[in-house]
Amino acid sequence: MKLLESQLSRTTIVVTQIAALFMAIGLAWFLSAHVGMTAGDHIFSGEPSYLTNPVAMVQKAWTLEAVGEKRSVVMLGICLLLLGPPLRVVLCAVGFALRGDRLYAAISAGVVLILMVSFFW
Amino acid sequence: MTTPLFDFLIAIASFGAGLLGALIGLGGGIIVTPLLVLGFGIDIRYAMGAALCSVIATSSGAAAAYLRDGISNMRVGLFLSLATTSGAICGAFASTLMNPAVLAVIFGLALLSTVVLSLRKQKLGTVAVENSDPLAVKLRLPGEFPTPSGIVQYGVAALIPGTFVMWIAGVLSGLLGIGSGAFKVLAMDQIMRLPFKVTTATSNFMIGVTAAASVGMYLKKGYIDPVLVAPVALGVLAGAFLGAKLLPIVPVKVLRVIFLTAVLVIAIQMILHGIGTL
């Protein structure tokens, strides 16, 4: 358990740092292209589909023409950030399974399942 | 206001919220949302989405430290995560159906109760392993944690009521885009009677997992605007980091009273804002 926890802790730190880096770079890039424009989050209008669908988002982040793709770089960072907690639970499931703790491997897997439902339902 | 300045100010405000949250023991999320709504006029749904991402960021940062210390009880955390994540999905779904003005009112009420919860912190003491809830024993939930005076063993009381309160905490988390740490601590500390250190460490692990369950729904409904999330999450993360460093140095007790009063005013303001826009 000790080993599992220290591995979890290291993974978490690295993933969070990479995520923060992506967000900072993406934001700086976006802002540099939008100097002087009116900021608009006062009225809710949802987000375009390439920012609500993880697959479309990842594809868009690597195309370098449209305006939206700068936001996709930020979004990539956000997705990495959001991946942290589910990743921790998956690692828990694996850790418990390796130690032959079936009950808690199943409980961890249950949490992963609920998380997957929330992302892909 | 134009783009770079606006984002810069949002980052500064979020930094303040993260710092404050860490110093008085409230999450950054529950402070940053009213700031964005009341201070910057941002739609509450975008604010909730950004706050929720910042909650995940800080929880990941703090969880890393706690996991290293071996204080958190992973079995308790995972078992209760079943309740919080399913609650979060229900809450997030409900939030997509609700009028934002109603959300603002509920947010204000939740903020009020968070303040009340964090003001009355009575020590109940832990239960001995042999007095644990039989169901908790069956699930091997009682655990141990290291203290300066050696390993301390502890039991787990009232598992079912605790799990139910955890579900409610999950619903609130999904409904309002908060970590709902105060409600999680209520369930584990006051109802299940876990040691306080174990409670905070374990709840931190769970806050991230719970928030992740809500965020999928927020993402699909377009609550996550990357250009807002980035300054908020980075600001809160930096603020929380500094807050954790300052915690041993600053006079926390005095600060708590001052800031909790401020948060109380914000809560009332939020309710009025909601009623005003109904």
Side-chain angles (χ1 to χ4, degrees), chain B residues 13-37:
Chain B
S14 307
F15 178 81
L19 181 66
L20 216 120
L23 285 180
I24 58 178
L26 296 178
I30 202 158
I31 303 174
V32 88
T33 297
L35 267 183
L36 294 175
V37 172

Side-chain angles (χ1 to χ4, degrees), chain A residues 1-2 4-6 8-10 12-13 16 19-21 23-27 30-32 34-47 51-54 57 71-72 74-75 78-79 81-86 88-89 92-93 96 99 101-104 106-112 114-121, chain B residues 1-4 6-8 40-43 45-46 52-54 56-57 59-61 63-76 78-79 81-83 85-86 89 93 136 138-141 146 204-205 208-210 212-231 233-234 237:
Chain A
M1 207 65 209
K2 263 263 142 341
L4 174 68
E5 284 178 349
S6 74
L8 281 178
S9 141
R10 241 174 304 155
T12 307
I13 292 171
T16 313
L21 199 66
M23 290 193 323
I25 292 171
L27 182 69
F30 174 85
L31 291 180
S32 68
H34 289 79
V35 175
M37 286 195 190
T38 312
D41 265 320
H42 306 292
I43 299 155
F44 184 74
S45 54
E47 290 298 324
L51 288 179
T52 56
N53 175 331
M57 201 184 308
R71 304 213 294 168
S72 296
V74 185
M75 210 56 178
I78 295 173
C79 277
L81 189 72
L82 305 185
L83 222 64
R88 260 178 282 159
V89 184
C92 282
F96 279 117
R99 295 190 318 147
D101 190 338
R102 280 200 202 156
L103 176 63
Y104 276 90
I107 287 177
S108 315
V111 177
V112 174
I114 297 175
L115 288 175
M116 288 189 31
V117 166
S118 80
F119 270 93
F120 298 109
W121 173 40
Chain B
M1 214 179 293
T2 52
T3 284
F6 187 73
D7 287 83
F8 184 67
F40 291 89
I42 287 169
D43 187 283
R45 286 163 287 188
Y46 284 132
L52 197 64
C53 292
S54 76
I56 295 180
S59 142
S60 292
Y66 282 126
L67 282 167
R68 209 170 31 216
D69 296 340
I71 296 174
S72 60
N73 186 327
M74 299 296 277
R75 278 197 285 270
V76 169
L78 286 164
F79 177 75
S81 287
L82 286 175
T85 49
S86 46
I89 291 182
F93 184 67
K138 209 169 245 170
L139 288 165
R140 287 177 279 128
L141 294 180
N204 218 298
F205 167 77
V209 178
T210 313
S214 318
V215 93
M217 192 81 74
Y218 281 23
L219 204 59
K220 269 173 295 195
K221 291 290 173 186
Y223 287 18
I224 311 285
D225 177 13
V227 179
L228 182 65
V229 171
L234 293 173
L237 192 59

Side-chain angles (χ1 to χ4, degrees), chain B residues 95-260:
Chain B
S95 89
T96 63
L97 302 175
M98 252 179 221
N99 184 327
V102 180
L103 278 179
V105 174
I106 300 176
F107 197 102
L109 293 175
L111 192 50
L112 272 183
S113 38
T114 300
V115 171
V116 173
L117 282 178
S118 55
L119 278 178
R120 53 169 282 278
K121 246 179 206 144
Q122 78 216 68
K123 288 260 176 292
L124 276 176
T126 54
V127 290
V129 178
E130 55 272 20
N131 294 333
S132 285
D133 186 324
L135 189 60
V137 175
K138 209 169 245 170
L139 288 165
R140 287 177 279 128
L141 294 180
E144 53 185 39
F145 75 107
T147 64
S149 50
I151 301 280
V152 172
Q153 294 194 310
Y154 55 88
V156 176
L159 183 63
I160 291 172
T163 308
F164 178 70
V165 174
M166 276 295 172
W167 186 80
I168 303 277
V171 171
L172 282 175
S173 169
L175 188 65
L176 305 172
I178 58 176
S180 70
F183 293 91
K184 291 191 172 80
V185 171
L186 170 79
M188 285 194 275
D189 188 54
Q190 306 278 319
I191 299 174
M192 295 166 63
R193 311 269 290 271
L194 292 167
F196 190 68
K197 271 194 150 173
V198 178
T199 297
T200 27
T202 309
S203 106
N204 218 298
F205 167 77
M206 295 174 56
I207 284 171
V209 178
T210 313
S214 318
V215 93
M217 192 81 74
Y218 281 23
L219 204 59
K220 269 173 295 195
K221 291 290 173 186
Y223 287 18
I224 311 285
D225 177 13
V227 179
L228 182 65
V229 171
V232 170
L234 293 173
V236 171
L237 192 59
F241 184 75
L242 181 68
K245 292 263 178 249
L246 286 180
L247 207 51
I249 316 168
V250 295
V252 176
K253 273 198 178 140
V254 186
L255 282 179
R256 261 176 67 90
V257 176
I258 298 172
F259 286 141
L260 282 176

